[in-house]
Amino acid sequence: MDGSTSACAWGSDPDALVPGIYGPAHQPKLSRTDYVANSNNGLQYVNPEAQITGLPGVYDTDPHLDGRAQLGLRMIAQRRDGTDGLGAPGFTESTLRDSMLGNRVLSAETGRDDIVGLCRAHPSLTATDGTAVDVRQACTTLARWDTRADTTSRGIVLWSAFYNRLLDGGPPDTWRRVPYDPAQPLTTPRGFNGEDPRVQRSLADAVQDFAARDLPVDVELGAVQKWDGIPLPGCDAGCFDVVEASPDSGTGTPTVGAFGSSFLMTVELTRDGPRAHTLLTYGQSANPTSPHFSDQTRLFSRKQWVTERFTQAEISGDPGLEVTTLRR
């Protein structure tokens, strides 16, 4: 900001909660009866059918959406028209939970077949160090993979290793089959150019690294991604939901960290009151000796939820209910 011009001076909105910031009247807002959604992306596409434009530069005005944000909007669109395999169109609390823990991987949905085509055409690829790498078994693994990041999925570990190497190479992403188009921010970029040397090296390097670590290319995700020894679903390669951890996460002194989904909640407002399910994926206690240190992590691993109770009848019917009466 240019400190020599008054155009860059702090604002003075009369309704600002703190002097120098935008007041509520100038802040972007959108009210809808269908949906709004955000996955840590900018404000423009909280609903693609009602784009927010003309935002001040202080807000994130980049129309480019990362993989997770694109996937979230795609999941909503497919649930609304019933093309996601979860039943009749429209969200219920049940289909919302199923969507949340579906562990979809957008980069694989839009590009896995490109990579299978690559390794079938080139069963031997050259790694960065010049070594020829046999990728036939990796090719078979990716072809059989369902493009999900479930704990039992075989292929997601290899895919994440390959894709993250590709991204770590930095811009430009000329290896995209369809490059980013500002006019199509919900569907671009996508795919992989299998003839691009960077794509081929990334796959060869990933397979080479698996061999060096004596790790099968078809290893299950739950074998290498854990919290307190519990297999975790999810990934960080354009996934929904996002989880990343090593096999020893949640263990040791101090405990090894992990990141991703934390508190999850689905709610349906009915005439009989709210219906809700929750999950605290990393458990309710920070004490490793507590039975609640990873109890909900186990539920998360099995795609199970905690049923919340609101009415007196629901509370009274809880088999784990304990009542303590305090008297003055």
Side-chain angles (χ1 to χ4, degrees):
M1 299 178 69
D2 185 352
S4 67
T5 173
S6 61
C8 289
W10 294 113
S12 57
D13 282 357
D15 61 340
L17 300 181
V18 177
I21 67 173
Y22 277 98
H26 280 164
Q27 293 175 355
K29 60 180 70 72
L30 179 66
S31 296
R32 300 281 297 182
T33 58
D34 49 3
Y35 74 91
V36 291
N38 188 273
S39 299
N40 300 111
N41 51 285
L43 303 172
Q44 184 170 350
Y45 293 105
V46 292
N47 185 311
E49 298 175 13
Q51 297 178 29
I52 301 176
T53 59
L55 295 171
V58 69
Y59 294 102
D60 182 358
T61 57
D62 185 1
H64 187 281
L65 299 176
D66 65 18
R68 177 169 171 259
Q70 279 192 13
L71 181 54
L73 293 174
R74 176 179 293 210
M75 289 163 56
I76 292 172
Q78 292 175 341
R79 181 81 302 268
R80 295 181 73 196
D81 61 22
T83 59
D84 58 1
L86 296 179
F91 276 103
T92 63
E93 203 224 336
S94 176
T95 57
L96 180 58
R97 281 184 273 126
D98 289 342
S99 297
M100 175 63 217
L101 298 185
N103 297 316
R104 291 175 58 174
V105 185
L106 181 64
S107 57
E109 290 184 8
T110 60
R112 186 274 307 270
D113 291 348
D114 293 338
I115 301 306
V116 171
L118 154 67
C119 54
R120 284 176 174 169
H122 303 281
S124 178
L125 296 173
T126 303
T128 300
D129 64 5
T131 302
V133 179
D134 186 336
V135 296
R136 287 176 296 179
Q137 187 175 358
C139 202
T140 299
T141 296
L142 293 177
R144 292 175 176 173
W145 176 39
D146 63 0
T147 72
R148 300 281 176 151
D150 293 325
T151 57
T152 57
S153 292
R154 296 181 181 272
I156 178 58
V157 181
L158 175 62
W159 182 265
S160 293
F162 152 72
Y163 190 54
N164 285 326
R165 275 174 171 76
L166 196 53
L167 295 179
D168 287 344
D173 58 352
T174 53
W175 44 267
R176 293 286 191 181
R177 179 168 52 82
V178 180
Y180 172 66
D181 181 354
Q184 302 180 62
L186 303 180
T187 57
T188 62
R190 65 180 183 272
F192 303 90
N193 175 9
E195 297 304 315
D196 187 278
R198 188 164 145 189
V199 173
Q200 296 185 5
R201 282 197 306 271
S202 295
L203 181 58
D205 287 350
V207 175
Q208 185 183 54
D209 180 59
F210 272 56
R213 292 188 290 152
D214 197 26
L215 193 66
V217 291
D218 65 345
V219 62
E220 285 190 353
L221 176 61
V224 298
Q225 182 167 268
K226 299 181 180 182
W227 173 263
D228 195 30
I230 302 167
L232 295 180
C235 69
D236 69 336
C239 306
F240 208 111
D241 63 314
V242 173
V243 172
E244 185 176 18
S246 62
D248 56 355
S249 293
T251 63
T253 306
T255 55
V256 178
F259 84 87
S261 294
S262 51
F263 176 68
L264 310 180
M265 184 175 187
T266 64
V267 180
E268 183 176 11
L269 303 179
T270 76
R271 293 182 177 180
D272 297 323
R275 297 288 179 265
H277 289 79
T278 62
L279 263 180
L280 194 61
T281 63
Y282 51 83
Q284 289 187 300
S285 174
N287 180 2
T289 65
S290 168
H292 302 297
F293 177 67
S294 56
D295 53 351
Q296 294 194 32
T297 310
R298 298 183 188 281
L299 295 178
F300 179 54
S301 179
R302 299 192 295 262
K303 298 187 180 183
Q304 297 175 336
W305 297 70
V306 175
T307 301
E308 298 299 337
R309 294 171 169 82
F310 288 90
T311 68
Q312 187 58 54
E314 290 170 342
I315 295 171
S316 300
D318 182 358
L321 175 66
E322 294 183 6
V323 178
T324 300
T325 303
L326 302 179
R327 304 183 183 280
R328 297 181 62 181

